[in-house]
Amino acid sequence: MAEVLPVWVPDAFELADLELLLSGAFAPLTGFMGAADVESVTARGRLADGTPWPVPVTLTVPAEVVAGADALVLQDPEGVPLARLTITERTPHGDHLTLAGPVEALSTPEHGPFRRLRRTPAEVRESLEAEPLVVTARGPIDSPEEITALAEELGAPIVLMPLIFGEGGPAVVRASLAALDKLPAGTRVVAVPLAPRDDLTLDLELREHVAAAYGAAEHYAAPEPAVIPGPPHRRGLTVFFTGLSGSGKSTIARGLHDALLERGTRTVTLLDGDVVRRMLSSGLTFSRADRDLNIRRIGFVAAEVTRHKGLAICAPIAPYAAVREEVREMVEQFGDFVLVHVSTPLEECERRDRKGLYARARAGEIPEFTGISDPYEEPDDADLVIDTTNISVETAVNRVLDHLVTRGWVR
Ligand SMILES: Nc1ncnc2c1ncn2[C@@H]1O[C@H](COP(=O)(O)OS(=O)(=O)O)[C@@H](OP(=O)(O)O)[C@H]1O
Ligand SMILES: Nc1ncnc2c1ncn2[C@@H]1O[C@H](COP(=O)(O)OP(=O)(O)O)[C@@H](O)[C@H]1O
């Protein structure tokens, strides 16, 4: 019988690293690193065997995914199996494991913008008559004369290598294609999915290694692009309300929604707790797992709205800090995130008991009711905290609106 292996979808950063491990661009690495290599690379910039290598290349998965398995299939987000990882080492990190071991390709990725410009190092080396000048870039190629002069001096063909990752990737490729006009005939463009490392020196060193794998006679690193975020009123934004049932989330969220529509300066999507429960999340319960899934779904939609430069307003209870943090991270990939804690105390929410749910929860008719028989983790990272006990709805809405106007998100 065919072996049934567990499957896992690595995050975007790990998937980019995986592609380079499989293509040979990360040679001599052939798989994800184990603890000894990670420690050695971090301390000395060398693998445990002494080979120079600048940064860790690791894969982390929830421990339960690989319980009892000695191999794992790595898939892309659409479910295409990309590689088989033979697990040679597992290092615990809380309830996750960092897995080490060699990877072996199961299929060739076919999708993604400018996929036709991807080449393995072997393909590029074979196709060139001489070792090239490899120009890696994360932004525009702003010194074509200098690159041309260097290539002439070396007598080398030029390989322009846009390093693509995330939303900005296609723009980097377009910038390289646009530069072809100003570079010698025969210059080619090879797109490489190299995820950027935070430490610029190490990032540069990694670029050197990748260029070397592509057979570079010399590596020219195009300067880092200046990152100028757009003005706040043009950036996407998610305003995320959290608080107990009856605290006032929906009321304030609707008031904010209306106020923004009246101003007419932004497009707004309201993802109210109850509405989401009927539409996106119908069928889910109030167990921790289902609440987390509900919040992740809301976060996914809010992140998409934010990516398209819209303004998303979310108003679920969202009682758990960890998944609120996940949503913040999902949204901040594309824009800004404001957390509003509607901190109206339980006594006041229970006194209001608009839907009679607290009475039923006290009577034991609703199990796992937030604040009564289920936890609410107070945020310690809220941008605004609003207790609605003694203020009007209008005042509460204006506090949020004033915050958005003061910070420039709304005009
Ligand atoms: N067990 C339990 N605990 C809390 N709330 C309950 C429960 N059962 C039903 N309800 C009703 O569902 C609304 C909360 O749904 P949310 O999607 O916002 O909750 S969560 O964020 O997924 O925890 C909440 O609505 P709001 O009052 O608007 O907050 C309740 O009306
Ligand atoms: N300042 C205020 N802001 C929001 N709601 C308020 C305020 N003062 C009183 N309320 C009342 O509190 C209740 C809050 O209910 P709701 O907005 O549905 O809460 P949640 O969405 O958090 O469950 C409403 O009946 C609302 O009229």
Side-chain angles (χ1 to χ4, degrees):
M1 212 181 78
E3 185 187 20
V4 178
L5 293 178
V7 296
W8 178 246
V9 180
D11 66 23
F13 197 101
E14 294 165 334
L15 280 174
D17 280 359
L18 174 65
E19 189 167 334
L20 298 191
L21 287 170
L22 293 170
S23 76
F26 271 176
L29 300 188
T30 52
F32 289 101
M33 287 180 184
D37 278 335
V38 170
E39 198 184 314
S40 173
V41 159
T42 312
R44 293 185 288 288
R46 286 171 185 278
L47 298 169
D49 69 6
T51 312
W53 188 266
V55 295
V57 176
T58 56
L59 174 74
T60 302
V61 308
E64 73 265 13
V65 170
V66 288
D70 55 14
L72 176 67
V73 170
L74 301 175
Q75 292 188 340
D76 75 5
E78 279 72 48
V80 178
L82 297 174
R84 181 185 199 277
L85 167 72
T86 306
I87 304 168
T88 54
E89 193 186 302
R90 35 186 103 207
T91 311
H93 283 285
D95 54 3
H96 282 61
L97 294 172
T98 299
L99 300 179
V103 287
E104 172 194 331
L106 294 177
S107 63
T108 314
E110 282 171 10
H111 299 288
F114 295 117
R115 173 64 62 185
R116 63 188 175 280
L117 295 178
R118 311 255 182 130
R119 295 284 181 283
T120 66
E123 285 165 348
V124 171
R125 287 194 311 257
E126 276 160 28
S127 69
L128 291 173
E129 310 233 306
E131 290 183 340
L133 169 64
V134 173
V135 179
T136 61
R138 292 201 186 277
I141 308 289
D142 49 11
S143 46
E145 303 80 12
E146 192 180 331
I147 293 166
T148 305
L150 182 57
E152 275 168 11
E153 193 183 306
L154 293 165
I158 301 172
V159 173
L160 277 188
M161 192 168 283
L163 303 175
I164 50 175
F165 185 73
E167 283 281 289
V172 182
V173 180
R174 287 196 299 275
S176 285
L177 292 171
L180 283 177
D181 278 355
K182 302 183 199 93
L183 291 164
T187 297
R188 60 180 64 197
V189 176
V190 176
V192 170
L194 182 62
R197 268 54 188 185
D198 290 339
D199 181 316
L200 284 184
T201 312
L202 295 180
D203 192 60
L204 209 54
E205 241 182 273
L206 187 60
R207 284 159 70 168
E208 292 273 351
H209 278 267
V210 170
Y214 277 88
E218 193 152 329
H219 170 227
Y220 178 99
E224 287 301 300
V227 182
I228 306 165
H233 68 277
R234 296 233 178 82
R235 289 167 59 76
L237 174 69
T238 290
V239 181
F240 192 101
F241 292 90
T242 171
L244 296 171
S245 173
S247 59
K249 304 178 301 294
S250 307
T251 305
I252 305 173
R254 281 193 212 115
L256 178 66
H257 183 235
D258 293 346
L260 291 171
L261 291 183
E262 287 179 18
R263 284 183 174 242
T265 52
R266 298 211 59 147
T267 53
V268 195
T269 295
L270 177 60
L271 296 161
D272 186 51
D274 294 315
V275 178
V276 169
R277 280 270 171 185
R278 272 202 312 281
M279 304 298 294
L280 273 182
S281 288
S282 63
L284 292 190
T285 71
F286 288 88
S287 67
R288 169 154 194 173
D290 276 7
R291 287 181 197 258
D292 282 352
L293 181 56
N294 177 41
I295 301 306
R296 257 182 224 120
R297 288 178 180 172
I298 294 172
F300 175 79
V301 177
E304 282 297 299
V305 170
T306 304
R307 190 160 73 85
H308 289 283
K309 317 287 181 221
L311 193 157
I313 304 173
C314 317
I317 297 178
Y320 296 108
V323 73
R324 289 194 302 255
E325 182 55 31
E326 267 181 51
V327 172
R328 180 189 284 276
E329 283 168 17
M330 282 159 88
V331 169
E332 285 184 345
Q333 293 177 74
F334 307 120
D336 301 320
F337 183 83
V338 169
L339 184 66
V340 183
H341 178 202
V342 185
S343 65
T344 315
L346 178 65
E347 302 71 54
E348 173 65 13
C349 297
E350 198 167 357
R351 194 190 60 72
R352 292 177 182 169
D353 205 6
R354 280 183 66 226
K355 304 175 189 163
L357 296 174
Y358 282 98
R360 289 180 52 206
R362 288 283 184 202
E365 289 171 26
I366 309 177
E368 301 179 314
F369 195 82
T370 305
I372 305 295
S373 44
D374 219 45
Y376 178 79
E377 297 173 2
E378 303 256 326
D380 58 12
D381 59 341
D383 301 277
L384 271 180
V385 179
I386 304 178
D387 176 346
T388 67
T389 311
N390 292 312
I391 62 172
S392 69
V393 172
E394 195 188 357
T395 304
V397 170
N398 279 336
R399 282 196 48 199
V400 185
L401 192 57
D402 286 350
H403 182 80
L404 301 187
V405 171
T406 309
R407 303 294 165 105
W409 279 301
V410 170
R411 301 226 272 195

